[in-house]
Amino acid sequence: MKSPIPDYLQSVVENVRSNDGGAPASYIDVLAKADTSKLAVALAMVDGHIYSAGDDKIEFSIQSISKAFVYAIAIEDAGLPAVLKKIGMEPSGDAFNHLSLQKGTNRPFNPMINAGAIAAHSLVVAPDATLEQRTERILDALSRLAGRQLQVDEKVFEAEMKDANRNMGIGYMLKAAGIISCDPAVAVRGYIRQCAITVNVKDLALMASVLCNGGVHPVSGEKLMPPESARQVLSVMATCGMYDGAGEWLATVGFSAKSGVAGAIMGALPGQVGIAAFSPKLDEHGNSVRGVDICRKLSADMGLHLMNSSQVALSTVQTSVATIVAGADTSKVHHPNCDREVVVFSLRGAVRFAGSERLTRALEEELSGPHSDACAVVLSFRETYSLNAIARRVIHEDIKRLLEDGRNVVVTDPSGVLQWDPLKTPRPAVVKNEVEAREVIGGAGCRTVTTSDGW
């Protein structure tokens, strides 16, 4: 069975392609010349599995999305109390490159605007560290997050340095306020260099999944940051990551996110999924126009808003195999000579998108691999408390594709959580318990001779 998730992501890409609004960043000549037709999206689950669509191999400079991760590095190197002494956590309400500090504290408002990001960069390694030491530290950390060696785009770096006057002004403002102690020009140069690191949407989604996974890399298992740091970063991203559009973003899209002026948006839903979108044209806030559209659609279709009342519990998928012997009465049986294995997929808990994705992947892997010749597939919802709309939609599509592949599908759904329309065709056999499921598969008197879980 082919997973429906890549097809869905491709449909999302095509859905937003017609939006031709916005313009690429004009103040950096390399970005101003970007190919505005490029468009991509990626999802990374918290076990490291990645789905993507569109121009997912195109690389672009990470720009301000680096701020989220450098903030985490600064917390690790200097400690959270020292970072909070220098950088606030409140939305500024101003543009990302505004020259302003909080009244009374003289701190930058937050680490997601340029002033706060330059201050965070100055805390990496140590206040007296060299430009090379900080660059090496940041590049190594971001490469481990992405799971591959990343590089600095020297053309982007040089282009940004040609028009760095505003950031230099911010640097000297921070120096005068006592926020940074190093040479402002060194701090600004290092900050611009971190922004010129190149990634693609799959890199960004995987990097976001580390934040979703409490700082643990979902593929390598390496602990890249303490869970408290991941929580701190996600919290500030939620309220400040989309600049002066952050309030509307949180209310309408509803997950932590950070944008960059190359046209990327990185999003994260803790415990579930890392998200990345890319399209170079920006809106008045400096956020990707199509990227925002993609995230809005993903949130609406997949129920990703943090404040959704259905976000209440975790779910698990268990796969087991039973070998059955057909009974005497096989008149109503799909495969009457079924003395072979039956694969049982049990979904438990309150299921959202992440749970339905795990079921989809289990179906795809098991039925195209070790159990490709199974005579029947049983989907058990006996211990499923609830399905939200996107989970139900994904599972319905899974069942449809299994049936189209000629699979014998039996659904055990005593509580009716799947809400399968009996008039909908093709349709599986829907039963209330395992006894009825055995009879559908092997006829009256059918019995199990081996099983891995008591089915």
Side-chain angles (χ1 to χ4, degrees):
M1 186 201 79
K2 181 183 176 185
S3 169
I5 296 172
D7 293 342
Y8 165 71
L9 291 180
Q10 188 61 47
S11 74
V12 170
V13 167
E14 297 309 320
N15 181 270
V16 306
R17 193 179 293 279
S18 61
N19 187 344
D20 201 35
S26 60
Y27 62 94
I28 304 170
D29 60 7
V30 175
L31 301 187
K33 298 173 184 176
D35 184 348
T36 58
S37 70
K38 299 304 181 185
L39 179 61
V41 62
L43 304 179
M45 311 309 296
V46 291
D47 63 359
H49 193 81
I50 298 174
Y51 299 95
S52 61
D55 302 302
D56 56 4
K57 293 181 175 62
I58 294 295
E59 294 195 352
F60 45 84
S61 52
I62 193 170
Q63 295 295 331
S64 287
I65 297 173
S66 66
K67 295 172 181 176
F69 299 109
V70 173
Y71 184 48
I73 297 168
I75 291 171
E76 181 177 350
D77 290 356
L80 183 58
V83 172
L84 294 179
K85 187 177 180 180
K86 300 290 186 180
I87 308 167
M89 295 185 289
E90 299 299 328
S92 69
D94 295 317
F96 62 89
N97 58 357
H98 192 67
L99 279 76
S100 63
L101 297 172
Q102 286 180 325
K103 291 181 180 179
T105 67
N106 275 346
R107 298 179 304 174
F109 281 86
N110 64 74
M112 302 299 154
I113 56 174
N114 289 13
I118 293 169
H121 179 91
S122 75
L123 295 171
V124 171
V125 182
D128 60 350
T130 65
L131 170 64
E132 291 74 21
Q133 287 174 322
R134 291 196 185 109
T135 299
E136 182 180 358
R137 169 83 169 99
I138 292 168
L139 188 58
D140 176 69
L142 268 60
S143 295
R144 285 190 291 153
L145 285 159
R148 70 181 184 98
Q149 184 60 50
L150 302 178
Q151 306 293 332
V152 174
D153 187 325
E154 298 295 346
K155 289 183 179 179
V156 171
F157 172 67
E158 293 299 334
E160 291 198 58
M161 285 301 301
K162 288 178 183 178
D163 191 24
N165 293 332
R166 192 171 189 86
N167 280 327
M168 286 295 180
I170 292 173
Y172 282 100
M173 175 186 70
L174 294 171
K175 178 76 170 182
I179 296 299
I180 65 174
S181 57
C182 64
D183 182 344
V186 172
V188 171
R189 189 176 180 86
Y191 162 69
I192 292 174
R193 196 156 182 81
Q194 83 183 38
C195 291
I197 294 171
T198 56
V199 292
N200 58 44
V201 287
K202 291 191 284 188
D203 294 329
L204 278 184
L206 188 58
M207 294 164 81
S209 73
V210 176
L211 296 174
C212 299
N213 205 32
V216 176
H217 197 285
V219 177
S220 70
E222 182 182 3
K223 185 177 180 180
L224 298 180
M225 67 183 75
E228 296 80 9
S229 295
R231 183 183 65 196
Q232 179 75 11
V233 171
L234 287 171
S235 299
V236 177
M237 280 172 57
T239 56
C240 308
M242 300 299 282
Y243 303 126
D244 48 334
E248 180 183 358
W249 174 273
L250 188 58
T252 58
V253 180
F255 51 75
S256 299
K258 185 71 195 81
S259 63
V261 294
I265 296 176
M266 178 188 74
L269 193 63
Q272 293 196 58
V273 64
I275 301 162
F278 170 68
S279 180
K281 288 188 175 182
L282 311 178
D283 62 19
E284 67 275 14
H285 302 297
N287 301 324
S288 169
V289 171
R290 288 171 173 162
V292 170
D293 280 356
I294 286 174
C295 292
R296 286 181 187 276
K297 184 160 181 60
L298 291 176
S299 179
D301 289 351
M302 298 166 60
L304 300 182
H305 201 294
L306 281 168
M307 306 305 171
N308 279 350
S309 60
S310 63
Q311 310 287 347
V312 293
L314 298 176
S315 58
T316 60
V317 177
Q318 181 177 347
T319 304
S320 59
V321 179
T323 302
I324 67 170
V325 176
D329 180 7
T330 59
S331 60
K332 299 180 180 179
V333 175
H334 293 228
H335 296 273
N337 295 318
C338 182
D339 291 346
R340 293 184 290 147
E341 67 180 19
V342 174
V343 189
V344 183
F345 298 87
S346 301
L347 195 57
R348 296 167 177 168
V351 182
R352 307 189 291 271
F353 169 72
S356 64
E357 184 276 336
R358 283 193 286 271
L359 174 62
T360 298
R361 187 140 39 99
L363 288 165
E364 189 174 25
E365 292 172 354
E366 296 294 335
L367 298 180
S368 63
H371 306 300
S372 59
D373 62 346
C375 72
V377 177
V378 175
L379 302 180
S380 176
F381 300 94
R382 186 167 54 87
E383 297 182 20
T384 303
Y385 308 136
S386 63
L387 300 172
N388 72 359
I390 182 60
R392 186 175 292 110
R393 179 178 168 186
V394 169
I395 295 169
H396 277 215
E397 183 64 24
D398 287 341
I399 293 172
K400 175 186 172 186
R401 294 187 178 207
L402 287 170
L403 293 169
E404 289 174 347
D405 287 348
R407 292 284 182 181
N408 179 20
V409 182
V410 180
V411 175
T412 305
D413 186 15
S415 301
V417 295
L418 195 58
Q419 297 180 14
W420 191 271
D421 183 352
L423 301 179
K424 186 176 181 180
T425 57
R427 60 179 180 270
V430 180
V431 299
K432 293 184 178 181
N433 53 53
E434 285 76 5
V435 173
E436 292 182 8
R438 290 192 196 97
E439 290 182 356
V440 169
I441 296 167
C446 166
R447 69 184 191 278
T448 302
V449 293
T450 63
T451 181
S452 59
D453 75 339
W455 190 83

